[in-house]
Amino acid sequence: FLSFSAILGLIIGSFLNVVIFRLYTKRSIVYDRSRCNKCNKVLRWYELIPVFSFIIQKGKCKSCKTKLSIQYPIVEILTATLFLQATSYTLQAVAKISPIFILETVFLWAVISGLLVIFVYDLKHFIIPDIVLVIMSALVLVFRFLNIWTLGNWNLFGNWESGIGNLERSEEHTSELQSHSFISYAVFCLKKKKNQVQTVNRSTAYPRVCRYD
């Protein structure tokens, strides 16, 4: 199963490269054939093998010899590595392979894929595509409300409620400190004014005698 997840990661990584490129160029992700961006030559199947085609072709287009982006093998290898890590994690957390295990593993793969698309796309174009965020949000919410997560404690909304509660307590504490500070400042001003009045009264009662030589 680990070997399968690594190979699948390479294939999905190759597809993620297509998604990252075509989201920006507005080309169809499903129907349009893969082609060289320079000479527009449609690529054959042996030119699309993840990582190996890049190495065999020495990082260049076989037709026009245009240098290919290093992004392609990096994304493919990174996807395979993360898929392998996710599968290893789920295998260690469960006693046996079951439908729930497969569903949770596929969910992790989907989240990894979406995050990789966001990361690389933002790195290249300094923007996050809304369509990826919408799909990932819907996927996470559906999976959360199905309540089939067994790999650990995932209290999604509990954390939010805890954070909001801490924020409210912090605001109350800040208001209390501000009120105490205001009272202390008011007492200080009253004492200062009282001392000034006493000083004026004392100087009026005992006027200083000025002598001229």
mmCIF file of all heavy atoms in Angstrom, residues 100-131:
data_model
loop_
_atom_site.group_PDB
_atom_site.id
_atom_site.type_symbol
_atom_site.label_atom_id
_atom_site.label_comp_id
_atom_site.label_asym_id
_atom_site.label_seq_id
_atom_site.Cartn_x
_atom_site.Cartn_y
_atom_site.Cartn_z
ATOM 1 N N ILE A 100 -13.045 2.670 6.352
ATOM 2 C CA ILE A 100 -12.853 3.954 7.023
ATOM 3 C C ILE A 100 -11.410 4.420 6.866
ATOM 4 O O ILE A 100 -11.139 5.613 6.620
ATOM 5 C CB ILE A 100 -13.230 3.848 8.512
ATOM 6 C CG1 ILE A 100 -14.718 3.527 8.656
ATOM 7 C CG2 ILE A 100 -12.894 5.142 9.241
ATOM 8 C CD1 ILE A 100 -15.637 4.592 8.110
ATOM 9 N N PHE A 101 -10.474 3.494 6.989
ATOM 10 C CA PHE A 101 -9.063 3.835 6.814
ATOM 11 C C PHE A 101 -8.804 4.374 5.409
ATOM 12 O O PHE A 101 -8.108 5.378 5.234
ATOM 13 C CB PHE A 101 -8.200 2.595 7.075
ATOM 14 C CG PHE A 101 -6.850 2.640 6.419
ATOM 15 C CD1 PHE A 101 -5.828 3.408 6.968
ATOM 16 C CD2 PHE A 101 -6.608 1.933 5.257
ATOM 17 C CE1 PHE A 101 -4.573 3.460 6.364
ATOM 18 C CE2 PHE A 101 -5.366 1.976 4.650
ATOM 19 C CZ PHE A 101 -4.348 2.747 5.207
ATOM 20 N N ILE A 102 -9.365 3.718 4.413
ATOM 21 C CA ILE A 102 -9.176 4.161 3.022
ATOM 22 C C ILE A 102 -9.796 5.536 2.816
ATOM 23 O O ILE A 102 -9.199 6.417 2.175
ATOM 24 C CB ILE A 102 -9.795 3.134 2.050
ATOM 25 C CG1 ILE A 102 -9.035 1.802 2.148
ATOM 26 C CG2 ILE A 102 -9.773 3.664 0.618
ATOM 27 C CD1 ILE A 102 -9.627 0.689 1.312
ATOM 28 N N LEU A 103 -10.979 5.748 3.381
ATOM 29 C CA LEU A 103 -11.658 7.037 3.227
ATOM 30 C C LEU A 103 -10.858 8.155 3.891
ATOM 31 O O LEU A 103 -10.704 9.250 3.325
ATOM 32 C CB LEU A 103 -13.062 6.947 3.829
ATOM 33 C CG LEU A 103 -13.993 8.143 3.572
ATOM 34 C CD1 LEU A 103 -14.201 8.344 2.089
ATOM 35 C CD2 LEU A 103 -15.323 7.937 4.270
ATOM 36 N N GLU A 104 -10.331 7.895 5.072
ATOM 37 C CA GLU A 104 -9.536 8.910 5.772
ATOM 38 C C GLU A 104 -8.229 9.194 5.035
ATOM 39 O O GLU A 104 -7.774 10.340 4.964
ATOM 40 C CB GLU A 104 -9.253 8.445 7.200
ATOM 41 C CG GLU A 104 -10.491 8.454 8.077
ATOM 42 C CD GLU A 104 -10.230 7.860 9.443
ATOM 43 O OE1 GLU A 104 -9.224 7.131 9.592
ATOM 44 O OE2 GLU A 104 -11.014 8.123 10.375
ATOM 45 N N THR A 105 -7.612 8.163 4.478
ATOM 46 C CA THR A 105 -6.372 8.353 3.727
ATOM 47 C C THR A 105 -6.614 9.169 2.468
ATOM 48 O O THR A 105 -5.846 10.085 2.148
ATOM 49 C CB THR A 105 -5.748 6.992 3.357
ATOM 50 O OG1 THR A 105 -5.578 6.204 4.546
ATOM 51 C CG2 THR A 105 -4.401 7.176 2.685
ATOM 52 N N VAL A 106 -7.696 8.861 1.767
ATOM 53 C CA VAL A 106 -8.038 9.624 0.558
ATOM 54 C C VAL A 106 -8.329 11.077 0.915
ATOM 55 O O VAL A 106 -7.964 12.004 0.177
ATOM 56 C CB VAL A 106 -9.240 8.975 -0.154
ATOM 57 C CG1 VAL A 106 -9.749 9.873 -1.288
ATOM 58 C CG2 VAL A 106 -8.857 7.609 -0.704
ATOM 59 N N PHE A 107 -8.980 11.299 2.050
ATOM 60 C CA PHE A 107 -9.247 12.664 2.503
ATOM 61 C C PHE A 107 -7.935 13.418 2.736
ATOM 62 O O PHE A 107 -7.794 14.575 2.323
ATOM 63 C CB PHE A 107 -10.075 12.632 3.791
ATOM 64 C CG PHE A 107 -10.194 13.965 4.465
ATOM 65 C CD1 PHE A 107 -11.033 14.945 3.955
ATOM 66 C CD2 PHE A 107 -9.460 14.244 5.608
ATOM 67 C CE1 PHE A 107 -11.146 16.180 4.578
ATOM 68 C CE2 PHE A 107 -9.562 15.471 6.240
ATOM 69 C CZ PHE A 107 -10.404 16.437 5.728
ATOM 70 N N LEU A 108 -6.977 12.786 3.393
ATOM 71 C CA LEU A 108 -5.672 13.422 3.614
ATOM 72 C C LEU A 108 -4.970 13.701 2.294
ATOM 73 O O LEU A 108 -4.348 14.756 2.123
ATOM 74 C CB LEU A 108 -4.799 12.536 4.508
ATOM 75 C CG LEU A 108 -5.223 12.410 5.972
ATOM 76 C CD1 LEU A 108 -4.281 11.463 6.712
ATOM 77 C CD2 LEU A 108 -5.225 13.770 6.650
ATOM 78 N N TRP A 109 -5.060 12.785 1.360
ATOM 79 C CA TRP A 109 -4.457 13.017 0.041
ATOM 80 C C TRP A 109 -5.080 14.226 -0.644
ATOM 81 O O TRP A 109 -4.373 15.031 -1.256
ATOM 82 C CB TRP A 109 -4.637 11.774 -0.840
ATOM 83 C CG TRP A 109 -3.811 10.593 -0.433
ATOM 84 C CD1 TRP A 109 -2.763 10.586 0.440
ATOM 85 C CD2 TRP A 109 -3.973 9.247 -0.882
ATOM 86 N NE1 TRP A 109 -2.252 9.315 0.561
ATOM 87 C CE2 TRP A 109 -2.964 8.472 -0.236
ATOM 88 C CE3 TRP A 109 -4.840 8.604 -1.755
ATOM 89 C CZ2 TRP A 109 -2.825 7.094 -0.456
ATOM 90 C CZ3 TRP A 109 -4.703 7.247 -1.972
ATOM 91 C CH2 TRP A 109 -3.707 6.501 -1.327
ATOM 92 N N ALA A 110 -6.395 14.346 -0.533
ATOM 93 C CA ALA A 110 -7.090 15.469 -1.169
ATOM 94 C C ALA A 110 -6.675 16.797 -0.531
ATOM 95 O O ALA A 110 -6.450 17.796 -1.233
ATOM 96 C CB ALA A 110 -8.604 15.277 -1.061
ATOM 97 N N VAL A 111 -6.571 16.814 0.801
ATOM 98 C CA VAL A 111 -6.152 18.036 1.493
ATOM 99 C C VAL A 111 -4.723 18.404 1.103
ATOM 100 O O VAL A 111 -4.410 19.577 0.837
ATOM 101 C CB VAL A 111 -6.270 17.855 3.016
ATOM 102 C CG1 VAL A 111 -5.638 19.034 3.751
ATOM 103 C CG2 VAL A 111 -7.735 17.719 3.417
ATOM 104 N N ILE A 112 -3.835 17.420 1.048
ATOM 105 C CA ILE A 112 -2.444 17.664 0.645
ATOM 106 C C ILE A 112 -2.397 18.235 -0.770
ATOM 107 O O ILE A 112 -1.663 19.194 -1.042
ATOM 108 C CB ILE A 112 -1.633 16.358 0.736
ATOM 109 C CG1 ILE A 112 -1.414 15.974 2.201
ATOM 110 C CG2 ILE A 112 -0.296 16.494 0.020
ATOM 111 C CD1 ILE A 112 -0.842 14.585 2.388
ATOM 112 N N SER A 113 -3.177 17.672 -1.668
ATOM 113 C CA SER A 113 -3.188 18.140 -3.058
ATOM 114 C C SER A 113 -3.658 19.590 -3.145
ATOM 115 O O SER A 113 -3.059 20.413 -3.842
ATOM 116 C CB SER A 113 -4.095 17.240 -3.908
ATOM 117 O OG SER A 113 -3.655 15.893 -3.878
ATOM 118 N N GLY A 114 -4.740 19.901 -2.434
ATOM 119 C CA GLY A 114 -5.241 21.269 -2.455
ATOM 120 C C GLY A 114 -4.249 22.265 -1.879
ATOM 121 O O GLY A 114 -4.051 23.352 -2.435
ATOM 122 N N LEU A 115 -3.603 21.907 -0.779
ATOM 123 C CA LEU A 115 -2.615 22.803 -0.169
ATOM 124 C C LEU A 115 -1.407 23.007 -1.065
ATOM 125 O O LEU A 115 -0.842 24.111 -1.123
ATOM 126 C CB LEU A 115 -2.184 22.250 1.193
ATOM 127 C CG LEU A 115 -3.253 22.264 2.295
ATOM 128 C CD1 LEU A 115 -2.728 21.599 3.559
ATOM 129 C CD2 LEU A 115 -3.711 23.682 2.590
ATOM 130 N N LEU A 116 -0.994 21.960 -1.773
ATOM 131 C CA LEU A 116 0.134 22.101 -2.700
ATOM 132 C C LEU A 116 -0.218 23.042 -3.847
ATOM 133 O O LEU A 116 0.611 23.870 -4.255
ATOM 134 C CB LEU A 116 0.541 20.732 -3.243
ATOM 135 C CG LEU A 116 1.442 19.886 -2.344
ATOM 136 C CD1 LEU A 116 1.651 18.496 -2.939
ATOM 137 C CD2 LEU A 116 2.787 20.568 -2.150
ATOM 138 N N VAL A 117 -1.424 22.913 -4.381
ATOM 139 C CA VAL A 117 -1.855 23.813 -5.463
ATOM 140 C C VAL A 117 -1.857 25.257 -4.963
ATOM 141 O O VAL A 117 -1.353 26.170 -5.646
ATOM 142 C CB VAL A 117 -3.250 23.414 -5.980
ATOM 143 C CG1 VAL A 117 -3.800 24.483 -6.924
ATOM 144 C CG2 VAL A 117 -3.184 22.078 -6.700
ATOM 145 N N ILE A 118 -2.395 25.478 -3.778
ATOM 146 C CA ILE A 118 -2.433 26.831 -3.204
ATOM 147 C C ILE A 118 -1.025 27.374 -3.004
ATOM 148 O O ILE A 118 -0.719 28.518 -3.351
ATOM 149 C CB ILE A 118 -3.211 26.824 -1.882
ATOM 150 C CG1 ILE A 118 -4.699 26.595 -2.145
ATOM 151 C CG2 ILE A 118 -3.013 28.134 -1.120
ATOM 152 C CD1 ILE A 118 -5.518 26.415 -0.894
ATOM 153 N N PHE A 119 -0.150 26.551 -2.440
ATOM 154 C CA PHE A 119 1.214 26.993 -2.126
ATOM 155 C C PHE A 119 1.984 27.368 -3.396
ATOM 156 O O PHE A 119 2.563 28.462 -3.488
ATOM 157 C CB PHE A 119 1.948 25.890 -1.365
ATOM 158 C CG PHE A 119 3.398 26.189 -1.119
ATOM 159 C CD1 PHE A 119 3.776 27.129 -0.178
ATOM 160 C CD2 PHE A 119 4.388 25.542 -1.841
ATOM 161 C CE1 PHE A 119 5.114 27.422 0.049
ATOM 162 C CE2 PHE A 119 5.725 25.818 -1.627
ATOM 163 C CZ PHE A 119 6.089 26.765 -0.683
ATOM 164 N N VAL A 120 1.993 26.485 -4.388
ATOM 165 C CA VAL A 120 2.777 26.731 -5.607
ATOM 166 C C VAL A 120 2.158 27.858 -6.428
ATOM 167 O O VAL A 120 2.875 28.718 -6.956
ATOM 168 C CB VAL A 120 2.888 25.437 -6.448
ATOM 169 C CG1 VAL A 120 3.675 25.699 -7.734
ATOM 170 C CG2 VAL A 120 3.570 24.339 -5.642
ATOM 171 N N TYR A 121 0.837 27.886 -6.530
ATOM 172 C CA TYR A 121 0.174 28.937 -7.303
ATOM 173 C C TYR A 121 0.431 30.308 -6.681
ATOM 174 O O TYR A 121 0.703 31.289 -7.384
ATOM 175 C CB TYR A 121 -1.327 28.655 -7.366
ATOM 176 C CG TYR A 121 -2.071 29.451 -8.404
ATOM 177 C CD1 TYR A 121 -2.263 28.939 -9.687
ATOM 178 C CD2 TYR A 121 -2.590 30.712 -8.119
ATOM 179 C CE1 TYR A 121 -2.953 29.663 -10.646
ATOM 180 C CE2 TYR A 121 -3.275 31.446 -9.076
ATOM 181 C CZ TYR A 121 -3.447 30.913 -10.338
ATOM 182 O OH TYR A 121 -4.118 31.646 -11.293
ATOM 183 N N ASP A 122 0.346 30.379 -5.360
ATOM 184 C CA ASP A 122 0.615 31.643 -4.668
ATOM 185 C C ASP A 122 2.083 32.038 -4.814
ATOM 186 O O ASP A 122 2.407 33.223 -4.934
ATOM 187 C CB ASP A 122 0.252 31.487 -3.192
ATOM 188 C CG ASP A 122 0.330 32.800 -2.431
ATOM 189 O OD1 ASP A 122 0.130 33.861 -3.052
ATOM 190 O OD2 ASP A 122 0.596 32.775 -1.221
ATOM 191 N N LEU A 123 2.964 31.065 -4.822
ATOM 192 C CA LEU A 123 4.387 31.337 -4.978
ATOM 193 C C LEU A 123 4.697 31.900 -6.366
ATOM 194 O O LEU A 123 5.566 32.764 -6.520
ATOM 195 C CB LEU A 123 5.189 30.053 -4.745
ATOM 196 C CG LEU A 123 6.654 30.181 -4.321
ATOM 197 C CD1 LEU A 123 6.768 30.890 -2.988
ATOM 198 C CD2 LEU A 123 7.307 28.810 -4.255
ATOM 199 N N LYS A 124 3.976 31.425 -7.374
ATOM 200 C CA LYS A 124 4.221 31.864 -8.756
ATOM 201 C C LYS A 124 3.503 33.166 -9.092
ATOM 202 O O LYS A 124 4.071 34.035 -9.766
ATOM 203 C CB LYS A 124 3.765 30.772 -9.744
ATOM 204 C CG LYS A 124 4.670 29.554 -9.795
ATOM 205 C CD LYS A 124 4.031 28.438 -10.603
ATOM 206 C CE LYS A 124 3.845 28.838 -12.056
ATOM 207 N NZ LYS A 124 5.107 28.855 -12.796
ATOM 208 N N HIS A 125 2.252 33.303 -8.641
ATOM 209 C CA HIS A 125 1.416 34.410 -9.113
ATOM 210 C C HIS A 125 0.970 35.358 -7.994
ATOM 211 O O HIS A 125 0.245 36.319 -8.276
ATOM 212 C CB HIS A 125 0.184 33.852 -9.829
ATOM 213 C CG HIS A 125 0.508 32.864 -10.910
ATOM 214 N ND1 HIS A 125 1.227 33.197 -12.044
ATOM 215 C CD2 HIS A 125 0.226 31.534 -11.025
ATOM 216 C CE1 HIS A 125 1.360 32.128 -12.815
ATOM 217 N NE2 HIS A 125 0.771 31.112 -12.222
ATOM 218 N N PHE A 126 1.343 35.075 -6.750
ATOM 219 C CA PHE A 126 0.999 35.933 -5.609
ATOM 220 C C PHE A 126 -0.506 36.109 -5.446
ATOM 221 O O PHE A 126 -0.996 37.189 -5.132
ATOM 222 C CB PHE A 126 1.663 37.304 -5.734
ATOM 223 C CG PHE A 126 3.158 37.236 -5.873
ATOM 224 C CD1 PHE A 126 3.759 37.391 -7.118
ATOM 225 C CD2 PHE A 126 3.966 36.988 -4.777
ATOM 226 C CE1 PHE A 126 5.121 37.327 -7.257
ATOM 227 C CE2 PHE A 126 5.338 36.916 -4.916
ATOM 228 C CZ PHE A 126 5.918 37.085 -6.147
ATOM 229 N N ILE A 127 -1.225 35.021 -5.664
ATOM 230 C CA ILE A 127 -2.676 35.023 -5.468
ATOM 231 C C ILE A 127 -3.129 33.592 -5.209
ATOM 232 O O ILE A 127 -2.507 32.641 -5.689
ATOM 233 C CB ILE A 127 -3.401 35.611 -6.704
ATOM 234 C CG1 ILE A 127 -4.874 35.849 -6.389
ATOM 235 C CG2 ILE A 127 -3.238 34.705 -7.911
ATOM 236 C CD1 ILE A 127 -5.618 36.578 -7.476
ATOM 237 N N ILE A 128 -4.184 33.449 -4.425
ATOM 238 C CA ILE A 128 -4.729 32.117 -4.132
ATOM 239 C C ILE A 128 -6.021 31.948 -4.922
ATOM 240 O O ILE A 128 -6.937 32.773 -4.797
ATOM 241 C CB ILE A 128 -4.997 31.961 -2.629
ATOM 242 C CG1 ILE A 128 -3.676 32.049 -1.853
ATOM 243 C CG2 ILE A 128 -5.692 30.638 -2.332
ATOM 244 C CD1 ILE A 128 -3.835 31.986 -0.358
ATOM 245 N N PRO A 129 -6.137 30.909 -5.752
ATOM 246 C CA PRO A 129 -7.358 30.731 -6.551
ATOM 247 C C PRO A 129 -8.565 30.395 -5.679
ATOM 248 O O PRO A 129 -8.506 29.505 -4.833
ATOM 249 C CB PRO A 129 -6.998 29.547 -7.474
ATOM 250 C CG PRO A 129 -5.863 28.849 -6.802
ATOM 251 C CD PRO A 129 -5.120 29.881 -6.035
ATOM 252 N N ASP A 130 -9.650 31.124 -5.897
ATOM 253 C CA ASP A 130 -10.853 30.943 -5.083
ATOM 254 C C ASP A 130 -11.462 29.557 -5.260
ATOM 255 O O ASP A 130 -11.982 28.982 -4.301
ATOM 256 C CB ASP A 130 -11.888 32.013 -5.448
ATOM 257 C CG ASP A 130 -11.432 33.407 -5.047
ATOM 258 O OD1 ASP A 130 -10.595 33.502 -4.131
ATOM 259 O OD2 ASP A 130 -11.906 34.389 -5.652
ATOM 260 N N ILE A 131 -11.405 29.023 -6.475
ATOM 261 C CA ILE A 131 -12.048 27.740 -6.742
ATOM 262 C C ILE A 131 -11.450 26.632 -5.887
ATOM 263 O O ILE A 131 -12.155 25.745 -5.402
ATOM 264 C CB ILE A 131 -11.955 27.396 -8.252
ATOM 265 C CG1 ILE A 131 -12.696 26.104 -8.558
ATOM 266 C CG2 ILE A 131 -10.509 27.322 -8.702
ATOM 267 C CD1 ILE A 131 -14.179 26.174 -8.313
#
